[in-house]
Amino acid sequence: MEVDLTAPNGRKWAQPLGLFINNEFVKSSNEQKLASINPTTEEEICSVYAATSDDIDTAVAAARKAFRDPSWKSLSGTERGALMLKLADLVSQHAETLATIECLDNGKPYTTALTENVPEVVNVFRYYGGYADKNFGQVIDVGPAKFAYTVKEPLGVCGQIIPWNYPLDMAAWKLGPALCCGNTVVLKLAEQTPLSMLYLANLIKEAGFPPGVVNIINGYGREAGAALVQHPQVDKIAFTGSTATGKEIMKLASATMKNITLETGGKSPLIVFEDADLDLAATWSHIGIMSNQGQICTATSRILVHENIYDKFTEKFKAKIQQLSVLGDPFEKTTFQGPQVTKQQYERVLSYINIGKEEGATLFLGGEAAPQKGKGFFIAPTVFTNVKTTMKIYREEIFGPCAAVASFKTEEEAIEMANDSTYGLGAALFTKDLNRAHRVAREIEAGMVWINSSNDADFRVPFGGVKQSGIGRELGEAGLAPYCNVKAIHVNMAA
């Protein structure tokens, strides 16, 4: 049920291949597998077992049994928190191996995985581990004839479906609050990037979580994902991924009226006002669209610049990209940008670049495939200027290192352009005017607004969108609400 692997950085580990059910790795019921591909070399890393609907039944049954078992149900919040803190410590101890697997399987730079992604997992588990005995109900004063109070209870079995762009982080964002509140979980991994979380599954067992509390499933979305969403014994679905898939999940979950949390697509604006610090704006604009190969749901990919500073800003933006966006082997320390995660995603991004050219936008930088040593799903960081608001590259989520830069004349026009989208996940704005900063932040239709930065999310702050960018919130205290029921209890004091 495992294979010994060695990465280009020399790190060796035993890679689990099975479905993690009841704290054990098992084969899929028909022994079907899916291949995980290294996007840097285009070669197969290994194949893991892919769940069938029967395997989903088994995993859900394990989670349901664990939810009712005293080994989990009877734990105090303090004891649950201790398990989560132990898991955080183990993740920290295995940081280099987890970062290596993430780099190999996903294509993101090793340095980024080690210094940003794995620490995020540790922080989220520690944060919610600390909250586990502090998520209280309340006593409500309704007069002396009645004693009324509320308790917060876990929902039950939570089905969680994560994307391929941040495999470790997105799993932590979902596991953290679910376990904090006392739920059990069936976590369905992205078929493109299953390896890092399968390795982390061993750490869950080592931390002392009872069998069945966390079950981790590999599999195809149309088979395993659909079976999980429709399962009558699953009480909640949490999903991060595309808006189109989110809509399908809503339909499937509606049959049993499941509680749902959706974090879906985005086409986030970044506004540069005339008084902005242009060096600062260029620096954060680069981070906001070029980080993680542009594979970020909140990527500020629509850059709106005041017409009086348009040329000056675009030159600074271009220079910043040329200085910092070093393409290369993700295991090299100098690499900022690795390959796109899959050939399919690589071809999708290139197709949008071609569309941008055909639509008449100016190709200001990049715009071509950039294989390294003849291999890999690499794309040169790309910037289109003179972009019109009707163009597809302006309106549709590309999910790659491709920015569309448009101009505006007035604050009112900038707000109108920012809000002219079916999405509403994130937004950023740059100005030295504090009043304008707060005024515009309130007018933008988005779940999150960054002022004079972009995409510097924090595990202590709610994350989520409006419109077709999702339902509900993750992270922070707000991330607990989707994972517990508030039960009201009325006591007749006159009885």
Side-chain angles (χ1 to χ4, degrees), residues 10 33 68 155 195 252 272 430 438 494:
K33 289 186 174 183
R68 294 170 174 159
L155 300 177
L195 302 186
L252 295 175
V272 185
F430 288 81
H438 289 288

Side-chain angles (χ1 to χ4, degrees), residues 120-149:
E120 174 82 353
V121 175
V122 174
N123 286 334
V124 169
F125 285 150
R126 285 181 178 160
Y127 179 82
Y128 285 113
Y131 243 120
D133 57 4
K134 302 173 186 67
N135 191 29
F136 309 126
Q138 61 183 155
V139 174
I140 303 168
D141 185 0
V142 294
K146 179 187 284 189
F147 176 57
Y149 66 100

Side-chain angles (χ1 to χ4, degrees), residues 342-362:
T342 61
K343 184 177 182 180
Q344 180 182 13
Q345 188 62 23
Y346 165 81
E347 292 175 344
R348 171 186 167 86
V349 176
L350 289 176
S351 73
Y352 269 104
I353 291 172
N354 287 332
I355 288 170
K357 295 174 184 176
E358 293 167 0
E359 289 181 319
T362 301

Side-chain angles (χ1 to χ4, degrees), residues 119-411:
E120 174 82 353
V121 175
V122 174
N123 286 334
V124 169
F125 285 150
R126 285 181 178 160
Y127 179 82
Y128 285 113
Y131 243 120
D133 57 4
K134 302 173 186 67
N135 191 29
F136 309 126
Q138 61 183 155
V139 174
I140 303 168
D141 185 0
V142 294
K146 179 187 284 189
F147 176 57
Y149 66 100
T150 64
V151 292
K152 294 182 179 179
E153 297 182 336
L155 300 177
V157 176
C158 298
Q160 302 182 324
I161 302 172
I162 62 171
W164 44 256
N165 57 336
Y166 290 95
L168 288 169
D169 292 4
M170 294 297 98
W173 284 22
K174 288 174 172 50
L175 288 173
L179 297 175
C180 170
C181 294
N183 299 281
T184 57
V185 173
V186 178
L187 177 70
K188 192 267 177 191
L189 308 179
E191 58 250 40
Q192 299 88 346
T193 55
L195 302 186
S196 57
M197 277 306 298
L198 289 180
Y199 183 88
L200 196 146
N202 276 324
L203 306 184
I204 291 171
K205 181 177 181 179
E206 185 178 344
F209 284 88
V213 171
V214 179
N215 305 275
I216 300 179
I217 299 297
N218 321 305
Y220 295 102
R222 287 292 176 187
E223 184 173 9
L228 183 62
V229 172
Q230 297 176 90
H231 203 288
Q233 289 298 309
V234 171
D235 301 291
K236 176 188 176 61
I237 291 293
F239 167 79
T240 297
S242 72
T243 295
T245 303
K247 291 177 181 179
E248 288 298 313
I249 285 173
M250 285 188 74
K251 291 177 185 177
L252 295 175
S254 67
T256 49
M257 291 190 69
K258 284 180 171 54
N259 178 312
I260 59 171
T261 302
L262 303 175
E263 195 269 280
T264 52
K267 190 69 176 178
S268 300
L270 183 151
I271 305 172
V272 185
F273 287 104
E274 190 174 9
D275 68 334
D277 180 330
L278 295 190
D279 289 321
L280 183 71
T283 296
W284 282 102
S285 295
H286 170 258
I287 293 170
I289 179 58
M290 299 303 171
S291 298
N292 207 52
Q293 295 66 252
Q295 298 168 156
I296 313 172
C297 55
T298 52
T300 40
S301 55
R302 289 188 295 145
I303 301 177
L304 316 179
V305 185
H306 192 278
E307 61 182 8
N308 290 349
I309 56 167
Y310 189 87
D311 291 339
K312 190 174 182 180
F313 169 81
T314 52
E315 287 298 332
K316 285 182 177 290
F317 184 40
K318 179 180 181 179
K320 189 64 65 174
I321 294 171
Q322 290 173 328
Q323 174 192 353
L324 298 177
S325 280
V326 178
L327 268 72
D329 184 337
F331 281 103
E332 292 292 334
K333 289 183 179 181
T334 56
T335 296
F336 177 87
Q337 181 181 322
Q340 307 310 121
V341 69
T342 61
K343 184 177 182 180
Q344 180 182 13
Q345 188 62 23
Y346 165 81
E347 292 175 344
R348 171 186 167 86
V349 176
L350 289 176
S351 73
Y352 269 104
I353 291 172
N354 287 332
I355 288 170
K357 295 174 184 176
E358 293 167 0
E359 289 181 319
T362 301
L363 182 60
F364 190 63
L365 181 67
E368 69 277 333
Q372 304 294 300
K373 299 179 181 178
K375 289 285 187 178
F377 307 132
F378 295 87
I379 296 175
T382 299
V383 178
F384 282 101
T385 56
N386 300 314
V387 174
K388 307 301 181 186
T389 60
T390 54
M391 293 179 177
K392 284 188 176 182
I393 58 170
Y394 179 88
R395 307 200 67 81
E396 297 182 11
E397 185 176 36
I398 299 173
F399 222 66
C402 184
V405 189
S407 64
F408 66 87
K409 297 180 186 295
T410 66
E411 179 181 310

